[in-house]
Amino acid sequence: MDLDLNPTFVHATVVPILYLVSAVVFIFGIKGLTRVRTARRGNLLAAFAMLLAVAATLLDMGLVDYRWILIGLVVGGAVGAFAAVKVEMTEMPEMVALFNGCGGGASALVAISYLWVEVLEKPHPLNATTASILGTDSSLSTALSILIGAVTLSGSVVAYLKLQGKISGQPILLPGRHVINALLFFGSLGFGLWFATLSTDPTGIAIGALVVAGLALVLGVMLVIPIGGADMPVVISLLNSYSGLAASATGFVLNNNVLIISGALVGASGLILTQIMCVAMNRTLANVLFGGFGMQEQVKGGPASEYGTVRSYSAEEAALILESAESVVFVPGYGLAVAQAQHVVRELADLLEARGAKVSYGIHPVAGRMPGHMNVLLAEADVPYEQLKEMDQINPELKETDVVIIVGANDVVNPAAEKEPGSPIAGMPVLKVWDAATTMVIKRSLSPGFAGIKNELFEYPNNIMIFGDAKEVLQGLVAELKQAAAA
Ligand code: NAP
């Protein structure tokens, strides 16, 4: 069969079909990410869809100078590979924040360079406006792409610096910030509309675009600095959504359907995640964005002197309780990630199951430092997916549970969320571990968690503390149970 591969056929048929297939594979990829079991496959599918989209774009462009593309590929690939190998699991949220920022920044840069080539480098009749050069739709989406992309870039950099502790996690509440933000927003939007539709001078158009980018960069900083560290999960998922919207707007600029679709998918899924995070922390999005919430109190609860009677057990003593437990729930938290104790948790769970105990894991939606942090860690240790239970599912079961082992978690099991209306975490749904017969908290000291507050659970009569690094303590428990089994 003769394949007609003339350029018209490629542009009119092959490229649109490749884009369509790529868009459909993106949708299946995102669908795969909704379940732990299929997440890896979903990720691979989405990467494959991206490969198809890139191949289709290059095919569409025909013969181009590949030198810059190759340089970009090598430099970007090297930075990505280096970051992926070097980054610690505990630094993932920072990496995600930076990736969001790169996505937004890339969209804004593509829109600016498009404007540059179409408006500044090509001759136009005198008094031609951007709208008459690019078309009204394209010029408006260029303005939006620059605006949203720049907000995402600077907002993500601030989120990154907050998570890294390079700037304070405390909300920075400037006086009159709502007025300043409104001025910046309407100012950049106004400039955007002006350069997109009214400006007649190419230099004016370029200056307008740069002013929009500048104002939007300041707006991004202003939007994120008032948000406290504890609300960062919401901000990160919102910025993720913005990066998708920026990409989608760039899709309209370039008239590229697959970019519009994939950007919209990221935008929508980021918004859904934002909503889930808000519900998990019992905040409304408006509270997070405008309320200066997520304030970490100046570290209270740090010194042991704040605590009354706290019972400290050795691994050997704790193992005696575990030997007779018929049901055990593990509650992992940020300390599990720090100690990289996921494999030992699995080993201990296997030993308990071998003794006949029923084992499950209570997963709080904001445990750790990024959405899904605990799921990722436990999946690494091949913990059976069926044993992972979300908060609403596990809470009623805790009353019937013999032992809850809290591994490096603190805020997500703090009763203050329910019992102290003035607490910074008041109203946040938490795992009601105190309903179980015994709780065992594994952590190195009585230091507070992310929210910086005391945890009265440590003083409860049915709680015991096993102080130490999570991995070492769990290894101790594993050794004890193995000895008991051999005896
Ligand atoms: P947490 O409240 O931050 O507590 C973690 C505990 O782990 C600390 O009290 C620490 O106590 C202990 N720890 C640290 N290293 C350890 C080690 N090597 N071995 C044993 N323990 C160790 O953590 P969480 O209960 O998971 O709660 C998450 C918090 O982070 C929430 O406040 C949430 O709002 C916030 N947050 C979540 C996200 C997200 O997307 N999930 C993002 C940003 C912020 P010691 O120092 O005494 O060992």
Side-chain angles (χ1 to χ4, degrees):
M1 191 179 75
D2 265 359
L3 260 186
D4 180 6
L5 273 183
N6 67 50
T8 322
F9 177 73
V10 169
H11 291 305
T13 312
V14 178
V15 170
I17 289 178
L18 281 179
Y19 277 154
L20 187 67
V21 174
S22 157
V24 171
V25 180
F26 268 130
I27 293 171
F28 278 106
I30 291 236
K31 175 95 182 66
L33 292 178
T34 58
R35 299 184 75 85
V36 175
R37 196 190 289 284
T38 52
R40 255 172 231 251
R41 199 177 60 212
N43 207 13
L44 279 177
L45 274 179
F48 175 67
M50 183 55 87
L51 182 70
L52 272 185
V54 171
T57 306
L58 292 179
L59 207 60
D60 198 26
M61 287 161 68
L63 277 181
V64 287
D65 183 352
Y66 279 89
R67 267 176 303 178
W68 285 107
I69 295 175
L70 277 176
I71 292 173
L73 190 80
V74 171
V75 174
V79 172
F82 178 74
V85 171
K86 198 179 159 282
V87 75
E88 299 284 339
M89 269 313 281
T90 45
E91 291 168 344
M92 276 295 170
E94 285 95 312
M95 186 148 147
V96 173
L98 271 189
F99 280 170
N100 289 340
C102 290
S107 299
L109 284 177
V110 169
I112 289 174
S113 49
Y114 177 77
L115 198 69
W116 194 279
V117 171
E118 294 299 317
V119 177
L120 293 184
E121 288 195 347
K122 293 185 181 165
H124 300 292
L126 216 58
N127 287 339
T129 62
T130 330
S132 65
I133 299 168
L134 301 181
T136 312
D137 290 352
S138 214
S139 47
L140 281 178
S141 39
T142 308
L144 276 180
S145 179
I146 297 174
L147 200 164
I148 306 173
V151 165
T152 312
L153 173 63
S154 59
S156 302
V157 170
V158 175
Y160 165 80
L161 293 173
K162 280 195 170 221
L163 286 170
Q164 278 257 310
K166 295 215 164 102
I167 56 176
S168 165
Q170 293 281 339
I172 301 169
L173 304 175
L174 295 180
R177 65 185 191 283
H178 296 316
V179 177
I180 300 174
N181 287 352
L183 285 176
L184 284 169
F185 177 70
F186 288 112
S188 50
L189 199 66
F191 253 101
L193 290 179
W194 172 75
F195 95 71
T197 51
L198 297 179
S199 178
T200 49
D201 164 24
T203 322
I205 294 169
I207 292 175
L210 292 179
V211 170
V212 174
L215 290 179
L217 284 173
V218 181
L219 180 62
V221 174
M222 289 293 293
L223 286 176
V224 179
I225 50 168
I227 299 173
D231 278 337
M232 276 300 135
V234 180
V235 178
I236 302 277
S237 39
L238 194 63
L239 288 168
N240 181 246
S241 169
Y242 287 174
S243 72
L245 293 181
S248 202
T250 311
F252 281 103
V253 175
L254 301 177
N255 213 356
N256 183 309
N257 288 341
V258 81
L259 198 52
I260 297 173
I261 295 173
S262 53
L265 282 173
V266 174
S269 51
L271 261 189
I272 294 171
L273 186 59
T274 306
Q275 175 61 12
I276 293 174
M277 288 286 126
C278 280
V279 171
M281 302 176 80
N282 202 21
R283 306 262 195 259
T284 63
L285 187 56
N287 279 157
V288 173
L289 293 182
F290 305 117
F293 261 32
M295 210 156 331
Q296 297 165 56
E297 297 206 328
Q298 276 319 314
V299 178
K300 298 197 286 180
S305 60
E306 283 223 13
Y307 285 88
T309 310
V310 168
R311 293 189 301 156
S312 164
Y313 273 41
S314 66
E316 190 181 354
E317 290 164 321
L320 289 176
I321 303 177
L322 285 179
E323 277 174 34
S324 54
E326 288 176 10
S327 52
V328 177
V329 172
F330 286 93
V331 171
Y334 174 64
L336 176 93
V338 178
Q340 284 295 295
Q342 60 273 30
H343 296 283
V344 204
V345 165
R346 171 75 204 270
E347 200 180 347
L348 180 61
D350 286 348
L351 284 170
L352 290 166
E353 282 187 306
R355 300 184 70 88
K358 177 175 166 261
V359 171
S360 43
Y361 297 77
I363 308 294
H364 192 285
V366 298
R369 291 292 182 271
M370 64 173 180
H373 202 169
M374 298 300 112
N375 301 67
V376 173
L377 285 176
L378 295 174
E380 236 179 72
D382 286 328
V383 166
Y385 172 63
E386 303 71 40
Q387 291 183 348
L388 306 188
K389 297 194 174 165
E390 287 176 15
M391 181 164 55
D392 295 341
Q393 202 186 352
I394 198 80
N395 266 346
E397 293 179 19
L398 291 172
K399 285 195 181 77
E400 317 294 327
T401 302
D402 292 335
V403 181
V404 176
I405 307 180
I406 298 147
V407 188
N410 194 340
D411 296 343
V412 299
V413 294
N414 192 334
E418 290 199 340
K419 297 179 183 167
E420 284 174 33
S423 162
I425 59 165
M428 174 172 120
V430 286
L431 290 157
K432 299 171 197 263
V433 291
W434 51 89
D435 281 344
T438 304
T439 50
M440 296 180 177
V441 174
I442 303 177
K443 69 201 289 292
R444 298 164 304 179
S445 64
L446 287 173
S447 298
F450 195 85
I453 49 169
K454 176 177 175 177
N455 190 340
E456 277 182 16
L457 174 76
F458 304 163
E459 296 170 337
Y460 281 12
N462 61 338
N463 178 62
I464 61 171
M465 305 294 300
I466 316 175
F467 289 113
D469 171 76
K471 193 171 181 178
E472 286 167 17
V473 170
L474 288 165
Q475 281 167 340
L477 289 173
V478 164
E480 293 296 333
L481 285 190
K482 278 186 178 163
Q483 259 187 29

